[in-house]
Amino acid sequence: MCSGGGLVAYSEANSSSGVSSINPLEDGSQKKRVVVLGTGWAGTSFLKNLKDPSYDVQVISPRNYFAFTPLLPSVTCGTVEARSIVEPIRNIVRKKNVDIHYWEAECFKIDAENKKVYCRSNADTNISGKEEFAVDYDYLVIAMGARPNTFNTPGVEENCLFLKEVEDAQKIRRTVIDCFERASLPNLTDDEKQKILQFVVVGGGPTGVEFAAELHDFVSEDLVKLYPKVKDLVKITLLEAGEHILNMFDKRITTFAEEKFKREGMDLKMGAMVVKVSDKEISTKEMKSGEISSMPYGMVVWSTGIGTRPVILDFMKQIGQANRRVLATDEWLRVEAKNDIYALGDCATINQRKVMEDISAIFTKADKDNSGTLTVKEFQEALDDICERYPQVRLYLKNNQMLSLVDLLKDSKGDVAKESVELNIEEFKSALSKVDSQMKNLPATAQVAAQQGAYLANCFNRMEECEKNPEGPLRYRGEGRHRFRPFRYKHFGQFAPLGGEQTAAQLPGDWVSIGHSSQWLWYSVYASKLVSWRTRALVVSDWVRRFIFGRDSSQI
Amino acid sequence: MCSGGGLVAYSEANSSSGVSSINPLEDGSQKKRVVVLGTGWAGTSFLKNLKDPSYDVQVISPRNYFAFTPLLPSVTCGTVEARSIVEPIRNIVRKKNVDIHYWEAECFKIDAENKKVYCRSNADTNISGKEEFAVDYDYLVIAMGARPNTFNTPGVEENCLFLKEVEDAQKIRRTVIDCFERASLPNLTDDEKQKILQFVVVGGGPTGVEFAAELHDFVSEDLVKLYPKVKDLVKITLLEAGEHILNMFDKRITTFAEEKFKREGMDLKMGAMVVKVSDKEISTKEMKSGEISSMPYGMVVWSTGIGTRPVILDFMKQIGQANRRVLATDEWLRVEAKNDIYALGDCATINQRKVMEDISAIFTKADKDNSGTLTVKEFQEALDDICERYPQVRLYLKNNQMLSLVDLLKDSKGDVAKESVELNIEEFKSALSKVDSQMKNLPATAQVAAQQGAYLANCFNRMEECEKNPEGPLRYRGEGRHRFRPFRYKHFGQFAPLGGEQTAAQLPGDWVSIGHSSQWLWYSVYASKLVSWRTRALVVSDWVRRFIFGRDSSQI
């Protein structure tokens, strides 16, 4: 077997480096061992909400802190300090009544068969050969997040900066100042200065747009005063392969943002796909004409979405998901076909169950009198259970403005008196045939990850209770009910800071707000759950500092 | 000639890399070109105090900020943030009415003969071959500071951390957290953990002692809570080659500090000289027994004093100071034998003129009636001029508790009535023979550097005025007076923070203060001159943050 073979090979190759397996329960304790991989939004939210002391939790992550990532673009320009948006994970867990241990290491191999994860300390150590260790688990929670997606564009890895980690933001900050210092050197022509002060942002999503806006503010509010001689040579270019920036937002927001950026002199290039980045130039292909052009740059920030980490790809091969792009879980966040492994946040997607896959089972369970046909009454009685298991049914009714399921049935049976409607299996299939088109994947956002973490912790907290009294939906392919209600994402709206203290907000129910107030709204919504008082106080004091003293331009 | 030859070779070797010489005065302006190398205490103090708009100033330094270095040990443990103790140099100079340009580059060659400095931008650039440039000067101010002195101990450069730059402090901070995380890993024995948590500080001067104290506080106040399992394995060892730590301080302070550290469980090793540092172990030689022993370590911070930078050593060869250890200047901070080059701060020492070198000239000038002998009256009249030029004379009188110069003369003539004393040249020599023993070099401190910078700026401000009306002491080997009074260092006391908010202060006049209040005294004295309101406010807000939230232990 592929995974076993891989592991044996690994063990042999590493036998001399002393990979030791640790089992914290050798003392005979009966606690279930939960291993959590990652300390981002999903992992931290899980840890914060876990309350049942009957677990022994081990957290493994190369980052010993949780970072409030929505403020990362602000860190790039010094509006907020890096240290203000992080919270040591040990601070978060030390006051809990659950046994939580943290190891600063990176998981490089998940062995689902033997219920082990293999980890490597990423720090140098003076104790050679002890950098690697293995940890046993009863439950594994994978929350490792994603890596930037380069789409295998040549040169991106080597020459671009990213905006996923705190270190990335700090590096961008140093690079911006560096470009200004280099462009100020005495022996350069204006043309050469212009090349150095060409900042390129690839990707018109919320992160790229917010960074471009922050950079514009930093340049026009602070740096022009310190580098007066080069201020007119600065150019910020935003490249987007699609036809509009912020394309997941309402059209009004997109238009507002595009007009604002153009008015401010930002260079917006839509329909331009990056094909290559060399150490001096970035080459783009015009989507319409296919024409390829290059421009020199001083700094490129790459922000075009997320890709799967190698360790996850390797794990997917082990469990037969090799042909998928992203690790799939069911609606209870369990990795498909693995009952003891959960995956949440950016490293996984929920593979929503299709109605059509279970249509016969649904029909059989709903047809209580086994008549072979379904009356309206029978269907109505079954509807709640169906909608809980297959939320796309309710979404379909709502989106097509059908007030009741009779409207749905009408579609397939024509105009009839509702009491007398009876459906056979073929008619039932036809009535529900379009329902699955409503399914879409959840966005890879902090909001989703945080809600998933909280949901899963809640499941763990009530595991025993729900084993006895299952509260989930009816099992259509089996007996009884599911233990838990499936995960449901609650959308609180989406925000895109556009610079100059303007933020566009798209709230549930098609509310759109653009203006000063939205920024505070944005922060209060985001900050309400996961962030400590400490972090909040630090960020506010950073804002006060910036308000009084401006952003700092020292190269540290 | 050595220097010329070196330069020609340089020019030839680099002709293809396009070293271009810039001359900002090609527009015909009559301003004198002043080039300042360095943005530390000396350079920044010079820039802050320069007021005469008739200079065109170019500042060259690889650091685009001034750092308030006395707080560096606090940065190592997060008591104060790195960003709070720095001030961008462009902020400092942009409000002045003097033309000041800043280039972020490192000077790698001073060409005194052609009045040029050669510089290299230390940043990568997408404009190849333009990293190097040359700058012409009329006056050169060398304020490049020093580098850590390793005494050529093998392995120090590669394996030790230093504490001179802001980056050093940040690196130490990350390393400390790193050691704690590594020691917390699951598969280590207590013995191995102990090795990782062995922190070694080499050098018992104020910096080393303050860092050791800060580290002890960080561990005992903050880290013990987050790493409860390893807290008892931490050991901080302070190595000092001499017999006592803080040996430049009063005995009372030394004793207090040594006892405090021992009480707190710090491991003090006096008389232990480091002979080698490998990647895992540090080897020391017991000064008395000559015995060599080794111990494993997790982190070594090297803080044993300062050495001369290579570019200064090279410059010293050019100007015939090859056999000196440090660049020498006269009392006016001019590099000896170079009237247009000044050196100040840690990169230079003042070579105080000896009385005995000029004794005949002094005698001749004082002997106004050319009688061949000096009466008490003649000597008394000449004394002020002599003391101004040779301050060691006044110091000698004071230290030997001689109330007037008659006491000095008594020493050489025996007990006589003071009016009738007459000295011939030999007796005069003998009377002053011990005076030069009073001379000592100024310490390499921020106080000295800052005062030198202010002094030199003041000379530049009044250059024209003092050319006409020289205000300095009498020239003994020449006619007239020196243009300026020589530099005099005014000692405001010395401070050594000892942790736990205790600071030892040694003030002029043998005042010694140890306790809580000294820290604030220390800060107010230091901060009074060079630091901006911005920096002061940031540092105070850092202290408030730490008071409320403790120090941060995230690894960034």
Side-chain angles (χ1 to χ4, degrees):
Chain A
M1 199 184 133
C2 160
S3 67
L7 248 176
V8 170
Y10 165 79
S11 302
E12 278 168 7
N14 285 272
S15 57
S16 64
S17 73
V19 174
S20 60
S21 184
I22 56 152
N23 183 338
L25 298 178
E26 278 157 1
D27 56 0
S29 137
Q30 292 305 305
K31 290 189 172 185
K32 288 277 189 186
R33 294 162 305 182
V34 180
V35 169
V36 179
L37 303 178
T39 52
W41 283 92
T44 305
S45 170
F46 175 79
L47 294 174
K48 280 207 166 186
N49 287 283
L50 191 67
K51 294 197 182 75
D52 185 344
S54 73
Y55 296 105
D56 183 279
V57 183
Q58 305 194 52
V59 186
I60 297 160
S61 167
R63 294 195 330 203
N64 78 351
Y65 52 85
F66 162 74
F68 187 70
T69 47
L71 284 176
L72 269 190
S74 297
V75 172
T76 58
C77 297
T79 310
V80 165
E81 284 308 315
R83 207 164 286 281
S84 304
I85 67 161
V86 302
E87 183 74 33
I89 207 75
R90 290 178 187 272
N91 261 358
I92 294 173
V93 304
R94 78 184 161 107
K95 286 168 195 156
K96 297 189 72 83
N97 66 337
V98 186
D99 277 342
I100 303 183
H101 308 276
Y102 167 77
W103 317 125
E104 187 181 275
E106 183 147 15
C107 167
F108 63 92
K109 175 103 191 158
I110 298 166
D111 177 2
E113 205 177 354
N114 299 303
K115 294 190 158 205
K116 262 183 208 298
V117 291
Y118 289 83
C119 308
R120 187 182 291 130
S121 162
N122 53 354
D124 269 353
T125 152
N126 55 353
I127 311 297
S128 313
K130 291 285 185 103
E131 298 85 3
E132 295 182 358
F133 57 95
V135 182
D136 295 315
Y137 64 81
D138 294 314
Y139 297 110
L140 179 64
V141 177
I142 306 176
M144 303 172 83
R147 59 171 173 176
N149 195 349
T150 65
F151 302 102
N152 292 319
T153 313
V156 172
E157 205 93 50
E158 302 86 327
N159 301 304
C160 295
L161 296 168
F162 300 97
L163 198 38
K164 282 217 48 90
E165 306 283 343
V166 175
E167 286 87 349
D168 296 339
Q170 290 175 310
K171 202 168 169 194
I172 289 176
R173 179 171 178 165
R174 279 193 299 271
T175 307
V176 171
I177 300 294
D178 221 43
C179 286
F180 274 88
E181 289 295 357
R182 282 193 278 143
S184 304
L185 287 179
N187 54 337
L188 300 180
T189 64
D190 272 5
D191 189 51
E192 287 165 336
K193 291 179 186 198
Q194 223 154 18
K195 286 180 185 173
I196 296 173
L197 291 173
Q198 168 71 63
F199 298 101
V200 182
V201 181
V202 183
T207 308
V209 164
E210 189 182 347
F211 168 66
E214 276 275 356
L215 181 61
H216 176 267
D217 286 358
F218 188 26
V219 170
S220 61
E221 288 170 18
D222 297 280
L223 295 181
V224 289
K225 295 181 205 148
L226 297 180
Y227 303 88
K229 288 187 185 161
V230 298
K231 67 177 177 195
D232 298 327
L233 305 172
V234 182
K235 194 161 144 202
I236 301 172
T237 299
L238 182 61
L239 298 177
E240 163 60 44
E243 282 183 25
H244 289 287
I245 61 171
L246 297 177
N247 58 23
M248 67 293 290
F249 280 86
D250 189 279
K251 189 94 188 85
R252 285 166 288 177
I253 292 178
T254 301
T255 310
F256 178 86
E258 287 177 0
E259 279 170 8
K260 178 176 188 291
F261 283 178
K262 277 179 192 157
R263 210 165 47 235
E264 286 170 346
M266 210 180 282
D267 178 31
L268 285 186
K269 278 200 186 142
M270 260 72 86
M273 198 179 75
V274 177
V275 290
K276 193 184 150 201
V277 184
S278 78
D279 59 341
K280 293 194 181 68
E281 288 191 328
I282 179 164
S283 307
T284 52
K285 185 167 121 187
E286 176 97 32
M287 294 297 259
K288 279 179 196 150
S289 64
E291 204 177 298
I292 289 178
S293 60
S294 294
M295 63 174 170
Y297 68 86
M299 178 180 83
V300 177
V301 173
W302 188 269
S303 165
T304 60
I306 56 169
T308 307
R309 290 187 188 276
V311 51
I312 300 283
L313 288 173
D314 173 80
F315 173 61
M316 286 161 69
K317 264 187 219 155
Q318 271 182 60
I319 59 167
Q321 292 197 10
N323 52 353
R324 293 191 58 102
R325 272 184 42 238
V326 191
L327 183 62
T329 70
D330 63 17
E331 293 94 331
W332 292 268
L333 309 183
R334 283 176 308 196
V335 172
E336 288 186 341
K338 289 283 161 195
N339 277 326
D340 46 9
I341 304 185
Y342 299 81
L344 51 166
D346 288 0
C347 70
T349 50
I350 296 175
N351 201 10
Q352 174 69 48
R353 187 85 182 167
K354 286 189 182 131
V355 169
M356 294 319 280
E357 284 178 67
D358 296 339
I359 193 79
S360 313
I362 297 170
F363 187 86
T364 312
K365 289 236 171 176
D367 181 21
K368 286 194 179 158
D369 58 3
N370 286 316
S371 63
T373 57
L374 221 55
T375 62
V376 168
K377 192 161 164 280
E378 279 174 330
F379 193 15
Q380 215 138 22
E381 279 171 6
L383 189 69
D384 278 350
D385 273 326
I386 295 175
C387 286
E388 186 157 357
R389 182 71 186 87
Y390 310 95
Q392 61 268 43
V393 174
R394 188 150 282 156
L395 207 64
Y396 181 79
L397 291 176
K398 192 180 151 208
N399 285 354
N400 291 279
Q401 293 170 323
M402 296 174 172
L403 296 171
S404 75
L405 81 161
V406 179
D407 295 322
L408 181 65
L409 302 185
K410 270 185 198 157
D411 260 20
S412 93
K413 286 286 277 193
D415 198 10
V416 286
K418 72 173 182 178
E419 270 73 34
S420 61
V421 174
E422 287 201 15
L423 292 172
N424 63 24
I425 173 85
E426 287 312 315
E427 286 164 336
F428 186 65
K429 269 189 195 171
S430 144
L432 293 174
S433 61
K434 289 181 197 146
V435 164
D436 286 331
S437 66
Q438 293 300 316
M439 301 190 320
K440 45 181 181 187
N441 287 337
L442 294 175
T445 64
Q447 263 186 81
V448 171
Q451 289 183 25
Q452 289 182 336
Y455 166 82
L456 190 63
N458 204 31
C459 292
F460 272 73
N461 291 338
R462 301 164 64 240
M463 189 89 81
E464 220 170 312
E465 186 187 332
C466 292
E467 291 282 6
K468 288 178 205 148
N469 307 305
E471 57 173 31
L474 210 61
R475 285 182 199 269
Y476 286 99
R477 294 170 168 260
E479 287 310 303
R481 297 190 156 267
H482 290 275
R483 283 181 303 179
F484 305 107
R485 291 206 178 84
F487 171 72
R488 288 279 178 280
Y489 171 59
K490 206 168 166 186
H491 187 60
F492 287 111
Q494 209 170 357
F495 295 80
L498 301 175
E501 271 144 43
Q502 287 194 303
T503 293
Q506 182 167 0
L507 303 176
D510 258 358
W511 266 73
V512 166
S513 153
I514 301 170
H516 280 62
S517 55
S518 315
Q519 178 147 22
W520 298 96
L521 185 67
W522 166 81
Y523 184 62
S524 61
V525 168
Y526 252 130
S528 60
K529 287 238 165 144
L530 255 198
V531 179
S532 68
W533 277 105
R534 179 182 157 278
T535 309
R536 268 180 261 187
L538 295 185
V539 168
V540 170
S541 95
D542 279 342
W543 281 338
V544 172
R545 284 172 174 209
R546 198 212 83 192
F547 183 75
I548 301 174
F549 301 113
R551 299 172 184 89
D552 181 51
S553 69
S554 308
Q555 202 174 43
I556 55 170
Chain B
M1 200 184 133
C2 159
S3 67
L7 250 177
V8 170
Y10 166 78
S11 302
E12 278 166 7
N14 285 273
S15 57
S16 64
S17 75
V19 175
S20 60
S21 183
I22 57 151
N23 183 337
L25 298 178
E26 278 157 2
D27 57 359
S29 138
Q30 291 305 306
K31 291 188 170 186
K32 288 277 192 187
R33 293 163 305 183
V34 180
V35 169
V36 180
L37 302 178
T39 52
W41 283 92
T44 305
S45 171
F46 175 79
L47 293 173
K48 280 208 167 186
N49 287 283
L50 190 67
K51 294 197 183 76
D52 185 344
S54 72
Y55 296 105
D56 183 279
V57 183
Q58 305 193 53
V59 186
I60 297 161
S61 167
R63 293 194 331 202
N64 79 351
Y65 54 85
F66 162 75
F68 187 71
T69 47
L71 284 176
L72 269 190
S74 297
V75 172
T76 58
C77 297
T79 310
V80 165
E81 283 308 314
R83 207 164 287 280
S84 304
I85 67 160
V86 302
E87 182 75 32
I89 207 75
R90 290 178 187 272
N91 261 358
I92 294 172
V93 303
R94 77 183 161 109
K95 286 168 196 157
K96 298 189 71 83
N97 65 338
V98 186
D99 278 341
I100 303 183
H101 308 276
Y102 167 76
W103 317 126
E104 187 182 276
E106 183 147 15
C107 169
F108 63 93
K109 175 100 191 161
I110 298 167
D111 177 3
E113 205 179 354
N114 299 305
K115 295 190 156 202
K116 262 182 208 300
V117 291
Y118 289 83
C119 308
R120 188 182 292 130
S121 161
N122 54 354
D124 268 353
T125 151
N126 55 354
I127 311 296
S128 313
K130 292 285 185 100
E131 297 85 2
E132 295 182 357
F133 57 95
V135 182
D136 296 314
Y137 64 80
D138 294 314
Y139 297 110
L140 179 64
V141 178
I142 305 176
M144 303 172 81
R147 59 171 173 178
N149 195 350
T150 64
F151 303 103
N152 292 321
T153 312
V156 172
E157 204 93 51
E158 302 86 327
N159 300 304
C160 295
L161 296 168
F162 300 97
L163 199 37
K164 282 216 51 86
E165 307 284 342
V166 175
E167 285 88 350
D168 295 341
Q170 290 174 310
K171 202 169 168 192
I172 289 175
R173 179 170 178 165
R174 278 193 299 270
T175 308
V176 171
I177 299 294
D178 221 43
C179 287
F180 274 89
E181 289 295 355
R182 281 194 278 142
S184 303
L185 287 179
N187 55 336
L188 300 180
T189 64
D190 271 5
D191 187 51
E192 287 165 335
K193 291 179 187 201
Q194 223 154 18
K195 286 181 186 173
I196 296 173
L197 292 173
Q198 169 71 64
F199 299 101
V200 182
V201 182
V202 183
T207 308
V209 164
E210 189 183 346
F211 168 67
E214 276 275 355
L215 182 61
H216 177 268
D217 286 358
F218 188 26
V219 169
S220 61
E221 288 171 16
D222 297 279
L223 295 181
V224 290
K225 294 181 206 149
L226 298 181
Y227 304 88
K229 289 187 182 161
V230 298
K231 67 178 178 192
D232 298 326
L233 305 172
V234 183
K235 194 163 144 201
I236 301 172
T237 300
L238 182 61
L239 299 176
E240 163 62 44
E243 282 182 25
H244 289 287
I245 61 171
L246 296 177
N247 58 23
M248 68 293 290
F249 280 85
D250 189 279
K251 190 94 188 83
R252 284 167 288 177
I253 291 177
T254 299
T255 310
F256 178 87
E258 287 176 359
E259 279 170 6
K260 178 175 187 292
F261 283 177
K262 276 178 193 157
R263 209 165 47 235
E264 286 171 345
M266 210 181 284
D267 178 31
L268 285 186
K269 279 201 185 142
M270 261 73 86
M273 197 178 75
V274 176
V275 289
K276 193 183 149 200
V277 184
S278 78
D279 60 340
K280 293 194 182 66
E281 287 191 329
I282 180 165
S283 306
T284 53
K285 186 167 121 186
E286 176 98 30
M287 295 298 260
K288 278 179 196 150
S289 63
E291 203 177 300
I292 288 178
S293 59
S294 294
M295 64 174 168
Y297 67 87
M299 178 182 83
V300 177
V301 173
W302 189 270
S303 164
T304 60
I306 55 169
T308 307
R309 290 188 188 275
V311 51
I312 300 282
L313 288 172
D314 173 80
F315 172 62
M316 287 162 68
K317 264 188 219 155
Q318 273 182 56
I319 58 167
Q321 292 197 11
N323 53 352
R324 292 189 59 100
R325 271 185 42 239
V326 191
L327 182 62
T329 70
D330 63 17
E331 292 94 331
W332 290 268
L333 309 182
R334 283 177 307 196
V335 172
E336 287 185 342
K338 290 282 162 195
N339 277 327
D340 45 11
I341 304 184
Y342 299 81
L344 52 167
D346 288 1
C347 69
T349 49
I350 296 175
N351 201 11
Q352 174 70 49
R353 187 86 183 166
K354 287 189 181 135
V355 169
M356 297 317 281
E357 285 178 67
D358 296 337
I359 193 80
S360 312
I362 297 169
F363 188 85
T364 312
K365 288 237 170 174
D367 182 21
K368 287 197 177 153
D369 59 2
N370 288 316
S371 63
T373 57
L374 222 53
T375 62
V376 168
K377 194 162 162 276
E378 280 174 327
F379 193 17
Q380 214 137 24
E381 280 169 5
L383 190 67
D384 278 349
D385 275 324
I386 294 174
C387 286
E388 185 158 357
R389 182 72 187 87
Y390 309 97
Q392 60 266 44
V393 175
R394 186 150 282 155
L395 206 64
Y396 181 78
L397 291 176
K398 192 181 150 207
N399 286 353
N400 291 282
Q401 292 170 323
M402 296 175 171
L403 295 171
S404 75
L405 82 162
V406 178
D407 294 324
L408 180 67
L409 302 184
K410 270 185 197 155
D411 260 21
S412 93
K413 286 286 276 193
D415 198 10
V416 287
K418 72 171 181 176
E419 271 73 31
S420 60
V421 175
E422 287 202 14
L423 292 172
N424 63 24
I425 176 83
E426 287 311 316
E427 287 164 336
F428 186 66
K429 270 189 194 171
S430 143
L432 293 174
S433 61
K434 286 182 200 148
V435 164
D436 287 329
S437 68
Q438 292 301 315
M439 300 190 321
K440 45 180 180 188
N441 287 336
L442 294 175
T445 64
Q447 264 186 81
V448 170
Q451 289 183 25
Q452 288 182 336
Y455 165 82
L456 189 62
N458 204 31
C459 293
F460 271 73
N461 291 338
R462 301 164 64 240
M463 189 88 81
E464 219 170 311
E465 185 187 334
C466 292
E467 290 284 6
K468 289 177 204 148
N469 306 306
E471 57 173 32
L474 212 60
R475 285 181 197 271
Y476 286 99
R477 293 168 168 260
E479 288 310 305
R481 295 189 157 268
H482 290 274
R483 283 181 302 178
F484 305 107
R485 292 205 177 84
F487 171 72
R488 288 280 177 280
Y489 171 57
K490 206 167 167 186
H491 187 59
F492 287 111
Q494 209 171 358
F495 295 80
L498 302 175
E501 270 143 45
Q502 287 194 304
T503 293
Q506 183 166 2
L507 303 176
D510 257 359
W511 266 73
V512 166
S513 153
I514 301 170
H516 280 61
S517 56
S518 315
Q519 179 148 21
W520 298 96
L521 185 66
W522 165 80
Y523 185 61
S524 61
V525 167
Y526 251 131
S528 61
K529 286 239 165 145
L530 255 199
V531 178
S532 68
W533 277 106
R534 179 182 157 278
T535 310
R536 268 180 261 187
L538 294 185
V539 168
V540 171
S541 94
D542 280 343
W543 281 338
V544 173
R545 284 172 173 210
R546 196 211 85 193
F547 183 76
I548 301 175
F549 302 113
R551 300 172 183 89
D552 180 53
S553 68
S554 308
Q555 201 174 45
I556 55 169

